[in-house]
Amino acid sequence: MTATAAPGTAPLAAGEVLTRYLSTQATELLRGLRDLPAQETGAEASAATLAGAVHDAAFRIADTLGSFGPLLDAEWAERLEGELYWLGTTVLREHVYAARRDRLVAALRRLSGEEEADPAAGGTDLRDGVAEAVGTGRAGGAVPGARSRDGAAGYASAAPAATASLSGSAGSRAGASAAARPAPGGPAGAPRAVGAARAGALLERRLGLARSRAHSEALDALTSARYHALADAVALLVSDAPLTGAARRSAAALPEYHDELCRVLAAAVAALPLARAGRPYNAAALARGLAAPRAPAADDRDDAPWRHVHALVRRARHTAEILAACPPGTVPVRPAGPPLPAAGAALDRDREAVEAAAAAASAAATPRIAPATAYALGVLHADQRHQVEAARFTFGSLWPTRGEQE
């Protein structure tokens, strides 16, 4: 269907629609960057929310520049796109590490049967293992990829046990947690609680250090010449974006860019192993990976296609926002497609679980950790990979099959 302009009004140009959207997002980004330093001493939740807003605005602009590149100066748009991805990632990274730490510590509490135990009631706090696990410094030299004999044996023995315990109830999350949880007062209860405490202390230390480094990197970035040059370029979007001659085309041509992106996305989704994610908390899909520790390169090969689809879904969602912001009658009405926001949320959960599982596996590679600690980290890794499978199952249930699309 073709779009028609309202009577008595000139047809809206594609460049005008794009400029309005970019100006709005650039204003939001500059406002967030102005307020961000004021949150350094504020509450963590407020700082994380503001950093998230800066990240979202930066990625919206970058995705728009990449999707509608022919409407803008190519060299300028490509350079600014990369800088915006850098800025959005840098300002949010410390809060990502904090959220990952909280996620993994909470999962350890759940898997060890501790939940959110009250220390006053005699519960074991996950920080109780700090003195022995990291306080002496002997376990503190975390070297990714390095593995002691005890750590290797503990993690290798933990992986099959984790698979068995987490798959004992037909893929049910509740059953998985119950299977991994020691019986109250049982002989294995104390070692597992100690292993979970030490694993939690190790994760808090590693992710705390990573968060501190990310915080310093963000502060350095926000005072660098690179940042000031980027802020000047973003300010240009508010007033005078460098459009090309193609931007004079009618706004009715904008869906062409969105449709091309959707074709690329559909091809990328078709290449995903959706058949493996046939049910939530699918233990069968994890058997190959949890039978023995996998090298990071193997995990990258498995997860890289999902990261690619995640980026394409995010970009398609942002281009759809531009089309939705056009005045009625400006662009043709598009047929209903996959639910991009819900699909993007499922892939957000997938990415978070993938990165949390990688953090658990990396911690298990710390030299000279106790077998009980490695066991707890192995169970934690398995639990997070189950969360990955659950998120991918959700994505597969949301995305129409080839027959449904036709």
Side-chain angles (χ1 to χ4, degrees):
M1 234 186 115
T2 59
T4 58
T9 61
L12 201 62
E16 186 176 353
V17 173
L18 195 61
T19 299
R20 290 178 181 177
Y21 182 82
L22 288 174
S23 176
T24 300
Q25 297 303 322
T27 302
E28 291 296 322
L29 176 58
L30 293 173
R31 182 182 295 117
L33 291 172
R34 180 198 63 197
D35 298 337
L36 196 58
Q39 294 295 327
E40 294 297 335
T41 58
E44 166 63 24
S46 299
T49 299
L50 187 55
V54 169
H55 170 275
D56 290 346
F59 271 54
R60 275 183 165 84
I61 298 172
D63 287 343
T64 302
L65 297 178
S67 301
F68 298 95
L71 303 180
L72 299 156
D73 179 80
E75 183 179 353
W76 177 88
E78 183 178 357
R79 183 173 62 253
L80 182 57
E81 179 186 0
E83 292 297 280
L84 285 164
Y85 285 139
W86 162 76
L87 177 65
T89 302
T90 300
V91 298
L92 191 63
R93 187 178 290 126
E94 67 167 300
H95 305 290
V96 170
Y97 282 127
R100 189 174 304 156
R101 176 201 60 201
D102 295 343
R103 175 194 183 102
L104 289 173
V105 170
L108 274 172
R109 290 178 181 272
R110 171 173 52 82
L111 293 169
S112 66
E114 192 178 345
E115 298 293 344
E116 296 294 333
D118 183 5
T124 303
D125 196 297
L126 288 178
R127 294 179 177 82
D128 290 346
V130 168
E132 185 172 351
V134 299
T136 63
R138 289 179 298 175
V143 180
R147 196 186 304 269
S148 68
R149 286 179 296 174
D150 290 343
Y155 187 71
S157 63
T163 305
S165 64
L166 289 173
S167 61
S169 60
S172 165
R173 180 178 181 181
S177 300
R181 184 177 300 145
R192 290 190 184 185
V194 172
R198 293 176 177 175
L202 180 59
L203 287 168
E204 286 194 343
R205 178 180 182 275
R206 290 170 61 90
L207 292 172
L209 289 173
R211 181 191 176 191
S212 296
R213 287 193 297 268
H215 180 75
S216 298
E217 291 171 2
L219 290 180
D220 291 342
L222 293 175
T223 56
S224 65
R226 181 181 183 182
Y227 163 74
H228 289 292
L230 174 57
D232 290 341
V234 171
L236 180 64
L237 292 175
V238 178
S239 57
D240 187 23
L243 300 174
T244 64
R248 291 193 293 269
R249 296 177 62 192
S250 168
L254 288 174
E256 297 175 7
Y257 299 93
H258 178 68
D259 293 345
E260 176 60 27
L261 180 58
C262 287
R263 283 191 288 270
V264 175
L265 172 59
V269 172
L272 292 176
L274 289 178
R276 278 184 53 191
R279 60 183 184 275
Y281 306 99
N282 182 13
L286 304 180
R288 177 175 63 87
L290 291 177
R294 290 189 293 175
D299 284 328
D300 287 343
R301 286 194 298 269
D302 288 344
D303 298 328
W306 289 92
R307 289 198 297 268
H308 178 56
V309 169
H310 187 195
L312 291 175
V313 167
R314 186 197 67 232
R315 180 169 287 196
R317 188 173 75 248
H318 292 160
T319 60
E321 287 178 358
I322 295 176
L323 300 183
C326 292
T330 302
V331 299
V333 177
R334 314 305 299 157
L340 293 174
L347 292 175
D348 284 342
R349 295 193 297 273
D350 167 70
R351 181 197 59 206
E352 292 163 3
V354 164
E355 293 175 351
S362 178
T366 303
R368 297 181 296 279
I369 61 174
T373 307
Y375 177 86
L377 290 168
V379 174
L380 180 61
H381 175 268
D383 174 71
Q384 294 304 304
R385 292 304 303 189
H386 268 272
Q387 304 299 324
V388 171
E389 292 300 321
R392 292 176 182 178
F393 169 80
T394 301
F395 175 82
S397 65
L398 290 170
W399 204 266
T401 62
R402 189 180 300 273
E404 291 173 340
Q405 289 175 331
E406 294 173 354

